[in-house]
Amino acid sequence: MTIFAIRRPHGGCRLAGRFRIFVPGMIAVLFLISASSVAQIPDEQTGNVRSSAARETVQKAENGTWPHVRRVLLLRDYNTRVVTIGTGVLGMAAGLVGTFVLLRKRSLIGDVVGHASLPGIAVAFILVELFFPGHGKSLSGLLAGAALAGFAGIGCITLILRWTRLKEDAALAIVLSVFFGLGMVLFTIIQDLPTGSAAGLNHFIFGAAASMTTRDVQLILYAALAVLGVCVLFFKELGLLCFDDAFAASQGWPTLLLDLLLMGLVVAVTEIGAQSVGLILVVALMVIPAAAARFWVEDLWPMALVSTFLGGLGAYLGVMVSALLPKFAAGAVIVLASGCLFAVSFLAGSRRGVLWRIWEHRRLQIRVGRYDLMRACYEYLESSQGSFSPEVDNTSTKRRIPFEHLLEMRTWPPSRLRRIINRATREGLLNRAEPDLYELTDEGSRAAFLAARNHRLWETYLIRHAEIAASHVDHSADRIEHVLEPGLVRELEQELEKQFPHLAMPSSPHLLKQEGTVKASPTEESLAAKEP
Amino acid sequence: MSSEISSDAVPRLATGDEHPASCPLSIHDMTVAYHRKPVLWDIDYDAPAGRLVAIVGPNGSGKTTLIKASLGLLPTASGNVRFFGKPYAKQRSRVGYVPQRESVDWDFPVSALDVVAMGLYRKIGWCRPVIKKYRRQALHSLERVGMAEYAGRQISQLSGGQQQRVFLARALVQDADVYLMDEPFVGVDAATERAIIALLRELRESGKTALVVHHDLQTVQEYFDDVLLLNMRIIAAGPVSNVFTEENLRQTYGGKLSLLEKVGQRMHLRGGRL
């Protein structure tokens, strides 16, 4: 519903105004709901280490397939509920941050941060194991290490760009691959460590939503809400930074600090997304919803709103599917779900969707074809009979046009002309008298008259006011007249009134023989009314 | 920011009578370099108050650099800049900046009105929303450039000239006393050119100053009061009638102003620099 509200022109501002009040409220409500639902946990469940896929499978066996699906979809199951809420809020935060990342043209930075975090996790694990044996997998420690490594990756890119002449893409590729390589080496070393509790660290690479504990989810939830809050708080400033950083700097905004804030948000989303989606794919959670949102809206607040929504929806759908099919990695499924949302937006997006554009193009083509056909009919009749008026020449013999003559009027292939004629016949503009002989209907006569008249009005205007040579005017008039609307035609008439009074038909400035004026009072709407 | 830093580097020049408070823009001894190649040499310039000043010079002569360095957007190697006798950081609200139109992505999801409102963000302050009062101000500013009916339009749906007028409106909404405009006349339609000129004259009427990077030598005399001829250094500056002479232009553009020689000069310069 919101999407359609946004489609209204000028609706953006009002909606944005409401959104500004709405979002902080929404975050507060989410916060309360999630806090209370997580707080309900009985103690033995808090202690429960893994609410793993195995449990789900057991339930599936007990309940049969359909009840199981229903349980999952309606979030009856406590674990599913917790995981879904956590991942969903994460998806929303990622979608919102992604809006700015995309508009700042820093999409790949998220990927670098993700890959660069890997050695951070490994180092954090080793350090914690060293000082507190057995606690190596505490989430906060690992995430802190990952965040530091992520920032280190960004720092390396900045250094490379600053001190060398390498371009950004090369810097990104180098940092991303070197950090990831380092991470893989460290992971191998960890596997060989005598502590032996390293199992599960691999989850950070590809994500494993189902293996999250309630405490993990709590951490993710609060961090994601904090990210959402910061984004809303600094929305205006981040928007300015993304649109025109030089102007922002000239106004005294600390652009470096704002960029750092944005990078901090990217790092935060990456790290809190590491567990459920995995470091490799978490960039998708940021970029895909934002890119998809652009197909629906043309304004910043609505784009942020749609992106947040799509991010949350993608995460929700992904968690649902992975809860039903536990053998697929949750991260991959979430990204695929977002990908599907992107594909839908790409095709059907109300502002920039491909289907709309194709449809618009097709409509224009049909319109142009009809226009050209009608004008060709008029010009043929005018030149073969000396004059043609829809009111006077109302017998069918005076309205007949042979196919081969129409073909000569323009450079159109016979097959295309046939298609155009067939369409015009269906629309009641033409009748087929004999094979390859057509006659204009009453409506067709008027339409033909109007098409020729618009064309000539426009040509005359071009010659007199745009100083285009008469020999060239036909072509440029051809392209523009198809967008002439009744209002514009009236303006043209006023402009040229002295030369062509009383809605008369001007003579063609470049082809055919000179014609007397034709008295008629056609309506411009008769052409416009034929719009599909 | 960097102008402050550099002003500390030459403290004995940074004070005193060289920067009277009545002077909208006063540049002293400024040198700017990219990768150790100087782009601007020893610029000394005091802009006259209440006049329209054209900044004229060939491509690569440092016109944009002059503006950006004055605003602290580029680091200066030496020298200092004062607006009304004080560093830019203290006079931001009195200085309006219109960047080149190509400097931003016009596909950005934002409406004309929102862009204009960005000129007020400083006044609105951190983390506060753009309330109705400010939106009205922005709309009024759009009205002044004849763009009120396009307020809700996404900026990619505007023509080049209309986009330029949106940028102007963003600077106008600040109600500054001196405006720095970077090529506002490039790639605009005749209607926009007329609108901008009318606006510049209106600004002058109300005692404001505008420094405008300008490309079209034909219209300098018609549009501007003063001219600043620039080619890595200041060739000449002053009222158009005194300064805009063939001799000065020849010096600025190198050789005679015939197209061939200009092209030859440019190619030579390019070859020499690379």
Side-chain angles (χ1 to χ4, degrees):
Chain A
M1 202 199 92
T2 41
I3 290 161
F4 288 107
I6 291 157
R7 274 190 68 185
R8 275 201 324 264
H10 306 295
C13 274
R14 277 213 314 279
L15 199 82
R18 267 183 227 149
F19 181 48
R20 254 166 237 143
I21 308 161
F22 177 64
V23 163
M26 193 179 69
I27 291 178
V29 170
L30 270 175
F31 190 85
L32 287 177
I33 291 175
S34 49
S36 63
S37 74
V38 176
Q40 285 171 3
I41 336 159
D43 279 345
E44 70 269 15
Q45 254 173 342
T46 330
N48 189 2
V49 187
R50 303 287 134 173
S51 62
S52 68
R55 258 183 64 134
E56 308 265 338
T57 332
V58 171
Q59 277 174 1
K60 191 172 171 180
E62 280 171 6
N63 301 337
T65 314
W66 173 239
H68 171 66
V69 170
R70 239 179 50 188
R71 271 182 71 85
V72 170
L73 288 184
L74 295 179
L75 302 180
R76 291 268 173 75
D77 189 38
Y78 175 78
N79 291 297
T80 321
R81 188 160 70 220
V82 167
V83 169
T84 308
I85 289 174
T87 319
V89 177
L90 162 72
M92 292 170 69
L96 190 51
V97 172
T99 308
F100 296 111
V101 174
L102 187 83
L103 292 175
R104 188 87 178 111
K105 302 187 173 61
R106 295 268 164 88
S107 300
L108 277 175
I109 287 279
D111 209 18
V112 173
V113 171
H115 284 73
S117 301
L118 199 62
I121 287 181
V123 171
F125 176 79
I126 295 173
L127 285 181
V128 176
E129 278 293 311
L130 267 181
F131 293 107
F132 310 97
H135 293 86
K137 276 190 290 186
S138 97
L139 189 61
S140 38
L142 293 179
L143 291 192
L148 284 178
F151 272 118
I154 294 176
C156 286
I157 291 169
T158 317
L159 281 180
I160 291 178
L161 289 180
R162 174 110 195 208
W163 294 106
T164 72
R165 295 207 166 191
L166 281 175
K167 298 286 174 282
E168 191 170 359
D169 58 335
L172 292 178
I174 292 168
V175 172
L176 182 149
S177 47
V178 169
F179 270 76
F180 195 67
L182 179 65
M184 293 311 278
V185 168
L186 288 175
F187 265 57
T188 316
I189 293 174
I190 288 173
Q191 302 294 329
D192 296 341
L193 283 181
T195 51
S197 65
L201 273 191
N202 281 338
H203 285 326
F204 284 100
I205 304 179
F206 295 115
S211 74
M212 288 190 288
T213 64
T214 338
R215 200 166 291 160
D216 296 348
V217 171
Q218 245 171 346
L219 182 67
I220 288 171
L221 199 68
Y222 295 145
L225 287 170
V227 167
L228 277 175
V230 169
C231 275
V232 173
L233 202 60
F234 293 99
F235 196 91
K236 176 170 70 85
E237 287 77 11
L238 289 173
L240 177 65
L241 175 80
C242 295
F243 177 61
D244 194 348
D245 52 353
F247 180 77
S250 83
Q251 293 273 297
W253 293 100
T255 47
L256 200 69
L257 218 68
L258 284 171
D259 252 333
L260 253 171
L261 174 72
L262 183 56
M263 287 304 113
L265 290 171
V266 170
V267 170
V269 167
T270 304
E271 308 320 347
I272 59 183
Q275 254 204 328
S276 49
V277 186
L279 288 168
I280 294 185
L281 290 177
V282 73
V283 61
L285 274 195
M286 284 184 268
V287 177
I288 294 179
R294 196 67 186 88
F295 289 103
W296 296 100
V297 287
E298 294 279 25
D299 229 331
L300 195 51
W301 274 101
M303 178 175 166
L305 181 63
V306 173
S307 179
T308 310
F309 171 74
L310 289 177
L313 184 65
Y316 169 78
L317 292 176
V319 171
M320 288 297 103
V321 172
S322 79
L324 293 172
L325 306 164
K327 68 179 166 185
F328 295 108
V333 178
I334 290 171
V335 171
L336 284 181
S338 303
C340 290
L341 293 178
F342 176 82
V344 170
S345 310
F346 168 76
L347 288 174
S350 55
R351 282 305 173 115
R352 303 185 159 205
V354 169
L355 291 181
W356 288 104
R357 291 226 303 263
I358 292 175
W359 191 63
E360 294 270 317
H361 183 71
R362 176 96 189 103
R363 257 179 52 153
L364 183 70
Q365 264 190 331
I366 290 172
R367 192 173 158 177
V368 168
R370 183 195 307 123
Y371 222 99
D372 290 346
L373 176 68
M374 289 295 106
R375 189 157 65 84
C377 289
Y378 181 89
E379 280 169 357
Y380 168 75
L381 292 171
E382 191 189 43
S383 62
S384 67
Q385 301 170 13
S387 73
F388 175 74
S389 150
E391 312 298 314
V392 182
D393 302 306
N394 51 5
T395 55
S396 66
T397 47
K398 289 211 159 190
R399 290 177 172 182
R400 290 200 168 176
I401 309 121
F403 180 79
E404 67 266 24
H405 281 105
L406 273 179
L407 199 57
E408 285 163 16
M409 299 297 293
R410 299 183 69 88
T411 51
W412 38 24
S415 54
R416 175 164 148 76
L417 181 56
R418 290 222 184 266
R419 276 202 306 277
I420 296 173
I421 288 179
N422 286 341
R423 179 173 287 276
T425 315
R426 281 202 304 278
E427 288 168 354
L429 297 169
L430 279 180
N431 279 330
R432 203 170 79 150
E434 292 165 32
D436 286 345
L437 186 64
Y438 298 89
E439 63 177 60
L440 287 168
T441 62
D442 286 347
E443 199 182 343
S445 304
R446 280 195 299 274
F449 178 88
L450 262 174
R453 185 167 174 280
N454 279 358
H455 181 73
R456 288 178 193 175
L457 272 174
W458 185 242
E459 276 181 335
T460 317
Y461 176 81
L462 284 183
I463 289 173
R464 287 184 43 191
H465 296 271
E467 292 167 0
I468 291 177
S471 52
H472 286 78
V473 81
D474 186 35
H475 190 58
S476 40
D478 233 25
R479 275 179 298 175
I480 297 172
E481 68 189 10
H482 302 124
V483 297
L484 285 183
E485 283 158 6
L488 258 175
V489 171
R490 241 164 267 137
E491 263 179 59
L492 271 178
E493 280 165 358
Q494 280 166 10
E495 190 83 26
L496 301 168
E497 196 170 18
K498 281 177 200 132
Q499 200 176 353
F500 309 108
H502 312 308
L503 291 171
M505 170 67 80
S507 55
S508 172
H510 60 88
L511 78 156
L512 316 169
K513 38 192 161 166
Q514 287 290 317
E515 287 299 328
T517 53
V518 185
K519 296 261 189 283
S521 54
T523 54
E524 281 113 22
E525 283 74 15
S526 66
L527 257 190
K530 297 300 321 168
E531 293 293 311
Chain B
M1 273 191 300
S2 27
S3 63
E4 292 170 76
I5 295 163
S6 53
S7 71
D8 294 335
V10 264
R12 60 200 165 80
L13 296 173
T15 53
D17 302 313
E18 286 137 5
H19 305 292
S22 62
C23 183
L25 166 64
S26 142
I27 302 172
H28 190 78
D29 207 14
M30 182 170 80
T31 296
V32 184
Y34 280 135
H35 294 291
R36 280 180 293 165
K37 254 177 293 172
V39 186
L40 287 175
W41 269 112
D42 275 342
I43 303 291
D44 267 301
Y45 180 66
D46 289 327
R51 288 170 80 91
L52 304 180
V53 184
I55 302 175
V56 173
N59 283 340
S61 59
K63 301 178 299 257
T64 299
T65 308
L66 178 72
I67 286 190
K68 284 196 165 175
S70 303
L71 297 174
L73 296 176
L74 290 174
T76 52
S78 70
N80 60 70
V81 179
R82 293 289 183 272
F83 288 89
F84 299 102
K86 285 182 192 160
Y88 177 59
K90 293 192 174 149
Q91 298 281 33
R92 287 188 207 278
S93 62
R94 296 184 72 184
V95 183
Y97 171 45
V98 183
Q100 278 182 25
R101 184 159 55 86
E102 288 78 23
S103 62
V104 301
D105 172 14
W106 288 93
D107 205 29
F108 200 87
V110 72
S111 69
L113 189 80
D114 291 341
V115 172
V116 177
M118 285 176 189
L120 292 167
Y121 278 9
R122 196 70 218 165
K123 205 157 134 195
I124 296 170
W126 282 95
C127 305
R128 292 185 189 187
V130 186
I131 55 172
K132 227 176 221 156
K133 180 179 117 193
Y134 296 116
R135 224 172 278 138
R136 261 203 301 276
Q137 283 181 25
L139 190 64
H140 176 68
S141 184
L142 272 177
E143 256 165 38
R144 284 179 71 188
V145 296
M147 288 282 297
E149 57 183 309
Y150 299 100
R153 202 68 79 90
Q154 200 259 324
I155 52 173
S156 70
Q157 292 159 7
L158 301 173
S159 74
Q162 291 168 336
Q163 291 173 348
Q164 188 65 60
R165 281 192 263 171
V166 170
F167 258 22
L168 277 172
R170 183 176 68 174
L172 280 183
V173 79
Q174 261 182 269
D175 198 25
D177 292 316
V178 54
Y179 290 90
L180 305 183
M181 306 184 183
D182 202 345
E183 306 202 328
F185 292 106
V186 165
V188 303
D189 50 294
T192 300
E193 186 153 341
R194 278 196 301 274
I196 298 177
I197 273 305
L199 188 76
L200 285 175
R201 293 189 173 141
E202 190 189 318
L203 289 175
R204 181 179 54 191
E205 297 295 303
S206 49
K208 321 233 158 171
T209 312
L211 288 96
V212 182
V213 172
H214 195 55
H215 247 128
D216 185 11
L217 295 179
Q218 311 280 334
T219 50
V220 168
Q221 278 160 313
E222 186 189 341
Y223 291 169
F224 295 96
D225 312 317
D226 272 44
V227 67
L228 170 66
L229 294 172
L230 191 74
N231 193 347
M232 294 178 73
R233 65 208 155 87
I234 290 183
I235 307 290
V240 173
S241 51
N242 302 345
V243 170
F244 201 64
T245 61
E246 217 187 314
E247 174 57 33
N248 281 338
L249 284 174
R250 191 177 301 145
Q251 267 197 39
T252 312
Y253 283 86
K256 293 191 193 90
L257 259 181
S258 80
L259 189 66
L260 255 182
E261 272 186 84
K262 235 165 83 182
V263 172
Q265 175 80 9
R266 208 166 287 166
M267 285 171 71
H268 175 73
L269 272 177
R270 291 258 166 84
R273 274 191 213 161
L274 291 172

